[in-house]
Amino acid sequence: MNIKEVKELLSTPKNIVVTAHKNPDGDAIGSSLALHHYLLSLGHRSTVIMPNEYPDFLKWIPGENHIIKHSTDTEIAQSTIREADLIFTLDYNLLSRSGQMESDLSQSEAIFLMIDHHQQPDDYAKYIYSDTTMSSTCQMVYHFIEKLDHLEFITPEIATCIYVGIMTDTGSFRFRSTTSTTHRVVADLIDKGADNTRIHENIYDTNTISRLQLKGVALNNLKVLPEYKTAYISLSQSELDQNKFKKGDTEGFVNLGLSINGIKFAAIFIENKKEGIIKISLRSKGDFSVNEFSRDHFEGGGHHNAAGGKSNLSLSDTIDKFISILPSYKNVLNQ
């Protein structure tokens, strides 16, 4: 990214849209709102547009109440995108990851700026800040503001938004992507007003009885394939319905399998009758790339140790396919 050109671009007021991927998570919401607050402080007209709904545990983040959801506020979202001079795409690098927003974004004449840490970025943006070694897009937003020599612009609200994304995308700072630089950034965010204890409580201490019961179902459905150092969980639509499933309730469930001693590869398969697909989340330890696995077999992708995908087969057929693929990876999984 040519930071000098971007600085010039942001030197005069613009209509700016900030977007993230479908089914936004903590990093997507946190980075978008952090950038939004920053752009407002520069005098721009900024609007955050998400493709669809997101979990309730993200609905306390500063500025969240101003987010436009394309799925329900379609006309407003479309007109706002049409009027945009600049569009930031955060935490995704393929326009197809924006769901039904893709058509509106692809027709826009605005200048696109990408900030993202996923692998194999597309080339739709004029300005690209891509770094797969980063812990999160939120950390990249911090460094983006730093590159623009504006760290003093980070308010307690911006610090809170950035902290949320770093914390959630690093698994509370335990994943390999958590570097010494990440900790230095987090320390500065706390100094700038991020209340780390309160943020953690708002994200993680929000269980409902139905979510805990659904977690019990997930644990009951957990299967281990020791010869492949693999564990997987399945959840059918009926099991979700019986436990009053809400978006975000299965967050982190895939890590249950990965927490088992000796397991290197974990998956969760979640039936979604409305979309007619099986949603898949994959996690791994060490050198096994779930990004490549998902791209090769389940129309997905992501990071080296964390990725997602989907299947148009039935739940049982998807699991059968998954198991049938594992022999090809037996050697690498047992290294």
Side-chain angles (χ1 to χ4, degrees), residues 213-243:
Q213 290 172 333
L214 182 62
K215 190 174 186 178
V217 174
L219 286 169
N220 191 56
N221 292 350
L222 176 64
K223 300 289 189 297
V224 176
L225 304 171
E227 65 271 36
Y228 304 116
K229 294 188 177 179
T230 296
Y232 69 89
I233 292 169
S234 63
L235 287 169
S236 68
Q237 185 68 63
S238 61
E239 288 171 328
L240 298 173
D241 294 343
Q242 288 165 15
N243 290 279

Side-chain angles (χ1 to χ4, degrees), residues 38-95:
Y38 168 68
L39 292 170
L40 289 178
S41 72
L42 296 183
H44 299 289
R45 180 186 173 191
S46 172
T47 306
V48 178
I49 303 177
M50 292 294 150
N52 63 336
E53 189 57 90
Y54 40 86
D56 287 346
F57 62 75
L58 298 174
K59 293 186 176 178
W60 60 273
I61 302 173
E64 179 279 327
N65 55 317
H66 296 298
I67 292 176
I68 293 173
K69 302 178 188 74
H70 186 279
S71 57
T72 52
D73 308 312
T74 308
E75 290 186 8
I76 296 173
Q78 289 176 330
S79 63
T80 305
I81 290 171
R82 280 196 301 269
E83 294 168 5
D85 302 311
L86 306 177
I87 296 178
F88 280 88
T89 65
L90 303 187
D91 206 34
Y92 71 108
N93 57 25
L94 299 168
L95 289 184

Side-chain angles (χ1 to χ4, degrees), residues 6-221:
V6 172
K7 201 167 189 176
E8 177 65 27
L9 199 61
L10 296 176
S11 65
T12 55
K14 302 280 192 309
N15 285 334
I16 301 177
V17 166
V18 181
T19 71
H21 55 77
K22 184 181 178 182
N23 300 322
D25 56 8
D27 194 26
I29 299 290
S31 60
S32 296
L33 287 173
L35 184 63
H36 166 70
H37 290 304
Y38 168 68
L39 292 170
L40 289 178
S41 72
L42 296 183
H44 299 289
R45 180 186 173 191
S46 172
T47 306
V48 178
I49 303 177
M50 292 294 150
N52 63 336
E53 189 57 90
Y54 40 86
D56 287 346
F57 62 75
L58 298 174
K59 293 186 176 178
W60 60 273
I61 302 173
E64 179 279 327
N65 55 317
H66 296 298
I67 292 176
I68 293 173
K69 302 178 188 74
H70 186 279
S71 57
T72 52
D73 308 312
T74 308
E75 290 186 8
I76 296 173
Q78 289 176 330
S79 63
T80 305
I81 290 171
R82 280 196 301 269
E83 294 168 5
D85 302 311
L86 306 177
I87 296 178
F88 280 88
T89 65
L90 303 187
D91 206 34
Y92 71 108
N93 57 25
L94 299 168
L95 289 184
S96 59
R97 291 279 284 116
S98 65
Q100 293 184 342
M101 275 174 51
E102 179 182 6
S103 175
D104 296 321
L105 292 174
S106 62
Q107 293 176 43
S108 171
E109 296 181 1
I111 295 172
F112 280 77
L113 301 91
M114 176 202 300
I115 303 178
D116 178 68
H117 65 138
H118 296 90
Q119 297 181 1
Q120 297 172 264
D122 207 346
D123 61 356
Y124 61 82
K126 181 175 181 179
Y127 299 102
I128 297 176
Y129 177 21
S130 173
D131 189 341
T132 60
T133 68
M134 285 285 178
S135 72
S136 55
T137 299
C138 270
Q139 184 178 337
M140 295 181 73
V141 167
Y142 176 95
H143 292 308
F144 176 70
I145 295 172
E146 183 179 36
K147 289 173 188 292
L148 293 170
D149 300 318
H150 282 161
L151 284 183
E152 73 275 11
F153 282 54
I154 295 182
T155 61
E157 290 75 24
I158 294 174
T160 297
C161 294
I162 295 176
Y163 191 104
V164 167
I166 296 176
M167 182 185 73
T168 54
D169 247 32
T170 59
S172 294
F173 315 106
R174 74 179 187 272
F175 296 159
R176 181 185 290 182
S177 60
T178 308
T179 63
S180 58
T181 300
T182 306
H183 282 294
R184 281 190 284 271
V185 169
V186 165
D188 190 45
L189 295 174
I190 293 173
D191 289 343
K192 285 178 163 49
D195 186 337
N196 54 309
T197 300
R198 180 168 127 347
I199 293 169
H200 190 280
E201 290 173 350
N202 286 344
I203 294 292
Y204 295 117
D205 298 343
T206 57
N207 280 315
T208 60
I209 292 175
S210 58
R211 182 179 188 269
L212 289 176
Q213 290 172 333
L214 182 62
K215 190 174 186 178
V217 174
L219 286 169
N220 191 56
N221 292 350

